[in-house]
Amino acid sequence: MNVSKITMAHGSGGRDSAELMRDIFGRHFANEVLDRLEDGAVLPPSPESLVVSTDSFVVTPIEFRGGDIGKLSVCGTVNDVLMMGAIPEYLTCGFILEEGLDIAVLDRIAMSMAAAAREADVLIVAGDTKVVEGRNNGLMINTTGIGTLRDRSAHPSAANARPGDVVIVSGNLGDHHACILSARMGIANNIGSDCAILCEMADSLLNNDIDVHVMRDVTRGGLGTVLNEIANASGQVVELSEQEIPVDAEVRDFCGIMGLDPLYMGNEGKLVAIVPQAQAERALDLMRAAEAGRHARAIGKVIGADVNVGRGSVVMRTKIGGTRRVDVLFGEGLPRIC
Amino acid sequence: MNVSKITMAHGSGGRDSAELMRDIFGRHFANEVLDRLEDGAVLPPSPESLVVSTDSFVVTPIEFRGGDIGKLSVCGTVNDVLMMGAIPEYLTCGFILEEGLDIAVLDRIAMSMAAAAREADVLIVAGDTKVVEGRNNGLMINTTGIGTLRDRSAHPSAANARPGDVVIVSGNLGDHHACILSARMGIANNIGSDCAILCEMADSLLNNDIDVHVMRDVTRGGLGTVLNEIANASGQVVELSEQEIPVDAEVRDFCGIMGLDPLYMGNEGKLVAIVPQAQAERALDLMRAAEAGRHARAIGKVIGADVNVGRGSVVMRTKIGGTRRVDVLFGEGLPRIC
């Protein structure tokens, strides 16, 4: 590239766009499908059902401890496809760049996307770049993921939680949210995003005869919101034990000072798995064997009903022996990060 | 909806996000795949190869004569999938909404997307919504399209132009670009965007034994840029006849005053088809029978070489009998519209 900043001309569809494609995206994402430089990609036939998911990423700052918007945009969509019971295979990337963005930053972000895509074993097969006037010299990324549905007799579903099932979360809650908030507020600490590809952990559960009733990633809206969706879809009550909810000590302190509840904070590398009680220990062992699941914990159980709340609810047994209702996130709730 | 404007809470992933999904997107886009409200969509197996294409839409104003950003976002991606030789089948939509956007406007845009999707016979199967702070109370939309490759022995390709072939453009150039510029500059005129689904015209060409060597939509970068890509990929020279280039009279006047060249202006409902000379008349008739192709014109031919330029170039025979080189768009060139 013969300039150091993104200009409006990089979104023109002409020579500067082609240069950006060749020198940045083409270089990092090179693969035989993308290299054809057509307006789209041709993918082989799929004898299995397909799963498709889309997500836009608008986080600020675009680089943070533990990741950047590029890594996030790959992890988020790969994990969504994975949670639908599929093996992620292809990604498309739509970039909306702000005029003035440092090309060196874009280069790092593209490199980070390429690394995450390699880890997840997905190919970036099609892309698009637009340039807009902007205030922050930042960028936004949409990724759409395509995977092939695993060949299984039963797939995990939000509607499959059954009384007696154990609720497992794959690690500490709130890291990503606390990391981004810290960066935005200029608070120096050691909190890093949990941004991670969950393929290894999901593969391990699904390929080892665990009868996973429910599997969902825990992102925007937090664990509280996800568990309410599951309780609602399954027509059950989810009962959590407050003392088992895993939160990193520094994040817990940060939340205490800020008045935040980790139950509603966004994560980018966590899943919740709901499994039959008899398989819970084995599932925990398998999850902990994966790097992204090393802090996995059983945090509660599914019960058919509760004297205090109707079906479709989430309740928390508190550390001091009480019970409280855990609702979905509503309104702003806490400072937004995406 | 109990509010009239988009708030940051609509992007929280919690209750307000769910309401927006139910009351706006769910209502307009309803179909059996989307209605499952999962994080992604499950699509049936595909015995044919798949084609996937992605595009982000950032046009301002978001509503204009002849369309809006919603219609544009469906037409653009559907046409890209179509031009790859596929039958468009599914779309995903990623919305980035600016805080303060009128929900009534969003509702109109979603309705317009739904209408375009019906016309193109594609299902909107997955979506995502983020809310960002913004200056214009606007929105940006990414669409990713998936189609199945047509079962043909030969597919149109930018590399297939052959000496003697006729170059046909499906209608007047520059309408979309001139419409958006007029709106942005507050100029009152009758110029409307050409924003259109090209399925009928492409189907007609491909299903009637026309040996279409090249088929490309003519969007950002304009006809000049697209023809250069084709000339380059095919290793041929494309020779245009200036007097045949179709431009609406009002657009021509507008371009004259503004100093714009329709050859580099963006279109949103045009294609260029390159066909063997013996089939050119029949191809023109088929294109003109489709609403979006009623002004189709043969505008030039493919020649193997030219005394003045090397292979991979585009030249124009001017009205006064001269010859000039037509280059790709570079730099800004003309006021940007996307």
Side-chain angles (χ1 to χ4, degrees):
Chain A
M1 307 286 300
N2 53 10
V3 292
S4 67
K5 305 268 189 190
I6 290 295
T7 66
M8 295 307 270
H10 288 114
S12 66
R15 188 172 289 177
D16 295 314
S17 300
E19 213 173 84
L20 189 67
M21 175 63 205
R22 185 192 64 208
D23 292 352
I24 305 288
F25 302 127
R27 191 160 55 83
H28 290 296
F29 301 161
N31 64 63
E32 64 171 19
V33 182
L34 193 66
D35 293 352
R36 287 187 207 121
L37 289 177
E38 301 264 11
D39 269 351
V42 178
L43 309 178
S46 171
E48 291 88 26
S49 293
L50 295 162
V51 165
V52 60
S53 185
T54 192
D55 214 338
S56 299
F57 298 84
V58 297
V59 69
T60 310
I62 56 179
E63 298 186 293
F64 44 82
R65 189 188 294 264
D68 56 42
I69 192 171
K71 181 178 179 185
L72 205 59
S73 73
V74 175
C75 293
T77 294
V78 160
N79 291 342
D80 277 344
V81 170
L82 196 63
M83 294 301 122
M84 293 287 297
I87 299 166
E89 306 221 39
Y90 306 105
L91 274 187
T92 66
C93 303
F95 293 90
I96 299 177
L97 310 179
E98 286 185 0
E99 190 182 10
L101 173 66
D102 267 322
I103 288 176
V105 171
L106 182 62
D107 190 60
R108 285 201 297 273
I109 286 169
M111 187 160 53
S112 156
M113 294 179 75
R118 273 193 301 273
E119 185 188 340
D121 200 16
V122 296
L123 287 185
I124 295 173
V125 292
D128 172 62
T129 305
K130 294 292 188 303
V131 181
V132 296
E133 292 163 12
R135 284 174 297 189
N136 303 314
N137 304 330
L139 78 164
M140 294 174 276
I141 305 176
N142 173 281
T143 51
T144 299
I146 301 174
T148 48
L149 202 61
R150 288 168 198 264
D151 184 17
R152 290 171 66 89
S153 56
H155 288 282
S157 159
N160 285 355
R162 291 290 166 264
D165 284 357
V166 173
V167 180
I168 302 173
V169 69
S170 66
N172 299 332
L173 296 180
D175 294 4
H176 178 72
H177 209 130
C179 163
I180 298 300
L181 280 185
S182 301
R184 289 172 73 153
M185 300 168 73
I187 298 171
N189 57 32
N190 298 306
I191 300 172
S193 169
D194 61 338
C195 180
I197 296 284
L198 298 175
C199 293
E200 183 191 352
M201 190 164 23
D203 286 351
S204 180
L205 283 174
L206 296 174
N207 295 340
N208 282 285
D209 293 325
I210 302 290
D211 183 17
V212 184
H213 288 170
V214 183
M215 188 167 68
R216 287 286 298 275
D217 54 343
V218 186
T219 54
R220 202 169 49 155
L223 184 66
T225 300
V226 169
L227 288 179
N228 266 281
E229 288 168 9
I230 293 169
N232 196 44
S234 297
Q236 307 291 340
V237 173
V238 171
E239 185 189 77
L240 300 177
S241 171
E242 187 174 22
Q243 67 196 5
E244 300 301 331
I245 307 288
V247 183
D248 169 79
E250 192 170 0
V251 172
R252 190 177 293 285
D253 289 347
F254 178 83
C255 291
I257 293 165
M258 301 287 297
L260 300 174
D261 184 347
L263 272 188
Y264 296 108
M265 291 168 73
N267 309 275
E268 293 292 348
K270 293 298 178 310
L271 64 81
V272 60
I274 299 185
V275 301
Q277 189 170 14
Q279 299 186 320
E281 273 308 315
R282 171 112 177 93
L284 264 173
D285 288 345
L286 289 168
M287 289 169 72
R288 286 176 180 151
E291 170 64 18
R294 63 195 187 283
H295 298 302
R297 286 278 279 276
I299 57 169
K301 60 190 178 191
V302 178
I303 55 180
D306 182 280
V307 290
N308 299 306
V309 297
R311 286 171 183 274
S313 305
V314 180
V315 295
M316 175 87 90
R317 302 294 169 202
T318 64
K319 287 174 186 164
I320 55 169
T323 298
R324 68 175 174 91
R325 173 82 180 273
V326 176
D327 208 338
V328 300
L329 176 65
F330 59 95
E332 265 311 293
L334 71 181
R336 273 174 43 88
I337 54 159
C338 68
Chain B
M1 306 290 300
N2 53 9
V3 292
S4 67
K5 304 268 189 190
I6 290 294
T7 67
M8 295 306 271
H10 287 114
S12 65
R15 187 171 291 177
D16 295 316
S17 300
E19 214 172 84
L20 189 67
M21 176 60 207
R22 185 192 64 208
D23 292 351
I24 306 289
F25 302 127
R27 190 159 57 82
H28 290 298
F29 301 162
N31 65 60
E32 63 171 19
V33 182
L34 193 67
D35 294 352
R36 288 187 207 120
L37 290 178
E38 302 264 9
D39 270 349
V42 178
L43 309 177
S46 171
E48 291 86 28
S49 293
L50 295 162
V51 165
V52 59
S53 185
T54 193
D55 213 338
S56 300
F57 298 83
V58 298
V59 68
T60 306
I62 56 179
E63 299 185 293
F64 44 82
R65 189 188 295 263
D68 56 43
I69 192 171
K71 181 178 180 187
L72 204 59
S73 73
V74 174
C75 293
T77 294
V78 159
N79 291 343
D80 277 344
V81 170
L82 195 64
M83 293 302 121
M84 292 287 297
I87 299 166
E89 306 221 35
Y90 306 106
L91 273 187
T92 65
C93 302
F95 292 90
I96 299 177
L97 310 179
E98 286 185 0
E99 190 181 11
L101 173 65
D102 269 321
I103 288 176
V105 172
L106 182 61
D107 190 61
R108 284 201 297 273
I109 286 169
M111 186 160 55
S112 154
M113 294 178 76
R118 272 193 302 275
E119 184 187 341
D121 200 16
V122 296
L123 288 184
I124 295 174
V125 292
D128 172 63
T129 305
K130 294 291 188 302
V131 181
V132 296
E133 293 162 12
R135 284 174 298 188
N136 303 315
N137 305 329
L139 79 163
M140 293 172 276
I141 303 175
N142 172 282
T143 51
T144 301
I146 301 174
T148 48
L149 201 62
R150 288 167 198 264
D151 185 16
R152 289 171 66 87
S153 56
H155 289 282
S157 158
N160 285 355
R162 292 289 166 264
D165 285 356
V166 174
V167 180
I168 301 173
V169 69
S170 65
N172 298 332
L173 296 180
D175 294 3
H176 178 72
H177 209 131
C179 164
I180 298 300
L181 279 185
S182 300
R184 289 172 74 154
M185 300 168 74
I187 298 172
N189 57 31
N190 297 307
I191 300 172
S193 169
D194 61 337
C195 180
I197 296 284
L198 298 176
C199 293
E200 184 191 352
M201 193 168 13
D203 285 352
S204 180
L205 283 174
L206 296 174
N207 296 339
N208 282 288
D209 293 324
I210 302 292
D211 182 18
V212 184
H213 288 170
V214 182
M215 187 168 67
R216 287 286 299 276
D217 53 344
V218 185
T219 54
R220 201 170 48 156
L223 183 67
T225 300
V226 169
L227 288 179
N228 267 281
E229 287 167 13
I230 293 168
N232 196 43
S234 298
Q236 307 292 340
V237 172
V238 171
E239 184 189 77
L240 300 177
S241 170
E242 188 175 23
Q243 66 196 8
E244 300 301 332
I245 306 287
V247 183
D248 168 79
E250 192 169 1
V251 171
R252 190 178 293 282
D253 289 347
F254 178 83
C255 291
I257 294 166
M258 301 286 296
L260 300 173
D261 185 347
L263 271 188
Y264 296 108
M265 292 170 74
N267 310 277
E268 293 293 347
K270 293 296 177 311
L271 63 80
V272 61
I274 299 184
V275 301
Q277 188 171 15
Q279 300 186 318
E281 273 308 314
R282 171 113 176 93
L284 264 173
D285 288 344
L286 289 168
M287 289 170 72
R288 286 177 180 153
E291 170 65 17
R294 64 195 186 283
H295 298 301
R297 285 278 279 277
I299 57 169
K301 60 189 178 193
V302 179
I303 54 179
D306 182 281
V307 290
N308 299 306
V309 298
R311 286 172 184 272
S313 305
V314 180
V315 294
M316 175 88 89
R317 301 292 168 202
T318 64
K319 288 174 187 167
I320 54 168
T323 298
R324 68 176 173 91
R325 174 84 180 272
V326 176
D327 208 339
V328 301
L329 177 64
F330 60 96
E332 265 309 294
L334 71 182
R336 272 174 44 87
I337 54 158
C338 68

